[in-house]
Amino acid sequence: MGYVAVKGGTDAIANSIELVEFYRIKDETPPIHIRQLQAQFRLAIDKIMGEGSFYAPEYGALALKQVEGDVLEAAFIMRAFRATLPRLYYSAVIDTRNMFVQRRISSSFRDIPGGQILGPTYDYTQRIIDTRLADESYEQVQAFLQQFSARISETDRKAITTFGKVIDMLRAQGLLKGVGNRDDESEEGRRLVDITREAIKFPAPRSARLQMLARAETGGLMALGYSSMRGYGGVHPTVGELRVGLVDVTVSDPTGRSRYIGRVRVTEAEMITKAKTGKKSERSAGSVPYYAIGYGLCFGQNETKAICMGILDRAMRNGTKEAPANDQEFVLYHTDGIEAMGFTNHLKLPHYVTFQSGLNNVRRAVARSKKQAEANAASAPEPPMATDATASPGDAERMPSEVLTEL
């Protein structure tokens, strides 16, 4: 690859690491406690856990503190740490129908069973800087929490928090076909692949694609999902249901008994799109249009990611490669933030051998070109002297400068 070890740079590297620590704490402000990060930077930590493929809020907060808020670098650390841990159990499939719902909306139907639950979201806030936070005090925080708790009645606390799926209404009417979770009865839909244990081969089964999308970088998914909505992918869906909440995680012990080990917060998106039934001239008499579901589920509250997962899930099932969003290999390999960051930043490492080799080749080529040009110039015949057939006899008696002036 042309890499070479840097010799004699151990002290410089140690000093660089020490400078990082200095810049992190140089202002002498009180250190940020991990619990504060968990409570007040929950959305950033949710992204870190999702892209790091490791659900551990405490470690996510610690990684965020360690790298001074760089979410992608923190996710890198989380995934690296995850790789050192032993795998003791495989959890059972989570049931999002029994989710303890904290937020649930549908942009496809106004009236849904149980109603729309807006929950915690910045969607309805004004995107302006709140200068009041500059002087926020602990007393203000406590006062707000007390007032908020007082407004919640005992009835509200005991309200139903589990709801059926919105897409069940379409399923009951026979408008969904061969897509989604329970609807996918194809071999691709039934085959389960663990991407941490098996190398990815294309075309990859849907389980592998969804796993890779679940730990992909949010910005990368959004870019390709947006490209599909703009026409470069053929998928512009509607949110059938978007829900955020807590789901139970269980494992089987050595005796086969199911054990509850805790809850995790997840975001689930089911995107409704009209499936293509082929060109009008190619449709059979019995073919009818139907709806398809694009599915997305990720750690924490990351609604943009879950929605884009649903878009790309459908885009990659179109059976074509007309656009980047339709190409499995393009989407899955180029949205993994850890892979992309690692390969991009490796350009900062020494490439002395490869660059010097290329530089020597260019120098030799330039030298050969100059030598050839000089040889061609030396072997070229002398050009003939120009004559003026119209010159008069008196011109020979005039000085050259006079002739030039007259011409």
Side-chain angles (χ1 to χ4, degrees):
M1 293 291 291
Y3 308 135
V4 61
V6 180
K7 297 181 179 179
T10 304
D11 292 339
I13 292 173
N15 291 336
S16 175
I17 296 173
E18 191 174 11
L19 274 174
V20 169
E21 185 67 10
F22 170 76
Y23 274 91
R24 188 180 69 83
I25 59 176
K26 65 183 178 64
D27 289 337
E28 298 183 2
T29 55
I32 302 175
H33 196 275
I34 298 301
R35 186 175 176 182
Q36 288 178 288
L37 289 172
Q38 280 185 251
Q40 301 183 44
F41 287 82
R42 60 183 181 87
L43 298 180
I45 294 173
D46 286 347
K47 281 188 178 182
I48 292 169
M49 294 190 300
E51 295 169 16
S53 190
F54 182 34
Y55 194 92
E58 300 86 355
Y59 285 109
L62 184 59
L64 186 66
K65 178 178 180 179
Q66 178 180 335
V67 299
E68 303 175 70
D70 188 331
V71 172
L72 194 51
E73 185 73 34
F76 202 140
I77 293 174
M78 287 282 279
R79 195 180 295 185
F81 179 59
R82 174 188 180 277
T84 67
L85 301 176
R87 173 170 293 182
L88 303 178
Y89 300 98
Y90 282 90
S91 64
V93 177
I94 62 174
D95 185 2
T96 55
R97 292 177 180 277
N98 294 324
M99 175 188 292
F100 183 93
V101 173
Q102 297 171 326
R103 169 167 160 77
R104 174 179 180 254
I105 62 166
S106 171
S107 61
S108 300
F109 302 95
R110 177 180 178 180
D111 298 316
I112 58 177
Q116 309 260 4
I117 301 175
L118 300 187
T121 178
Y122 286 96
D123 288 353
Y124 316 109
T125 62
Q126 295 179 330
R127 264 69 177 195
I128 57 176
I129 294 180
D130 187 354
T131 56
R132 295 173 300 175
L133 298 180
D135 299 318
E136 187 178 33
S137 65
Y138 180 72
E139 289 73 18
Q140 291 174 326
V141 172
Q142 289 294 102
F144 173 81
L145 293 177
Q146 290 176 3
Q147 294 174 6
F148 185 82
S149 298
R151 289 201 305 269
I152 301 177
S153 66
E154 191 64 24
T155 303
D156 293 332
R157 296 179 190 274
K158 296 180 179 180
I160 298 174
T161 54
T162 58
F163 304 90
K165 291 297 189 73
V166 172
I167 63 169
D168 286 344
M169 295 188 292
L170 295 177
R171 184 180 287 114
Q173 300 175 42
L175 300 178
L176 294 180
K177 179 181 176 182
V179 289
N181 289 333
R182 296 192 305 172
D183 305 270
D184 197 344
E185 298 298 332
S186 64
E187 177 64 26
E188 182 198 44
R190 292 194 302 267
R191 184 185 170 202
L192 297 180
V193 173
D194 184 350
I195 62 172
T196 66
R197 294 294 187 269
E198 299 181 38
I200 296 298
K201 296 179 181 179
F202 295 100
R206 188 164 181 246
S207 63
R209 299 198 303 266
L210 289 176
Q211 286 175 66
M212 294 187 72
L213 291 175
R215 67 180 195 173
E217 199 267 328
T218 303
L221 291 182
M222 183 172 62
L224 288 178
Y226 179 54
S227 74
S228 177
M229 289 189 289
R230 293 192 66 248
Y232 299 92
V235 175
H236 194 304
T238 306
V239 176
E241 183 176 5
L242 175 72
R243 53 171 59 189
V244 179
L246 300 170
V247 292
D248 294 345
V249 179
T250 61
V251 298
S252 296
D253 64 17
T255 65
R257 188 176 179 181
S258 179
R259 300 285 187 177
Y260 169 81
I261 62 173
R263 282 179 165 184
V264 296
R265 179 176 286 103
V266 297
T267 301
E268 181 186 49
E270 291 173 322
M271 311 298 294
I272 302 175
T273 180
K274 188 175 180 181
K276 294 182 179 180
T277 56
K279 296 180 180 179
K280 188 174 181 180
S281 60
E282 299 173 352
R283 296 174 189 166
S284 62
S287 64
V288 292
Y290 60 91
Y291 285 107
I293 297 296
Y295 188 74
L297 185 140
C298 58
F299 282 153
Q301 183 174 2
N302 194 342
E303 298 171 16
T304 298
K305 182 174 185 175
I307 289 172
C308 291
M309 283 181 65
I311 295 172
L312 295 173
D313 176 40
R314 281 306 310 161
M316 288 188 288
R317 291 165 67 91
N318 277 358
T320 65
K321 292 187 178 180
E322 297 177 354
N326 301 132
D327 190 319
Q328 289 187 21
E329 185 172 356
F330 187 93
V331 171
L332 299 179
Y333 275 163
H334 296 97
T335 55
D336 191 315
I338 308 303
E339 293 280 352
M341 177 186 177
F343 199 72
T344 301
N345 283 301
H346 99 282
L347 296 175
K348 296 184 287 186
L349 298 175
H351 286 65
Y352 306 141
V353 173
T354 51
F355 183 76
Q356 290 299 323
S357 176
L359 183 60
N360 290 336
N361 289 337
V362 172
R363 284 170 174 165
R364 285 194 293 268
V366 170
R368 284 197 300 268
S369 178
K370 288 183 178 180
K371 188 175 181 180
Q372 186 64 41
E374 292 172 356
N376 292 341
S379 61
E382 290 289 336
M385 295 293 293
T387 59
D388 189 354
T390 61
S392 62
D395 289 339
E397 299 176 359
R398 283 186 281 179
M399 296 295 292
S401 59
E402 296 175 347
V403 176
L404 291 174
T405 302
E406 182 177 332
L407 291 176

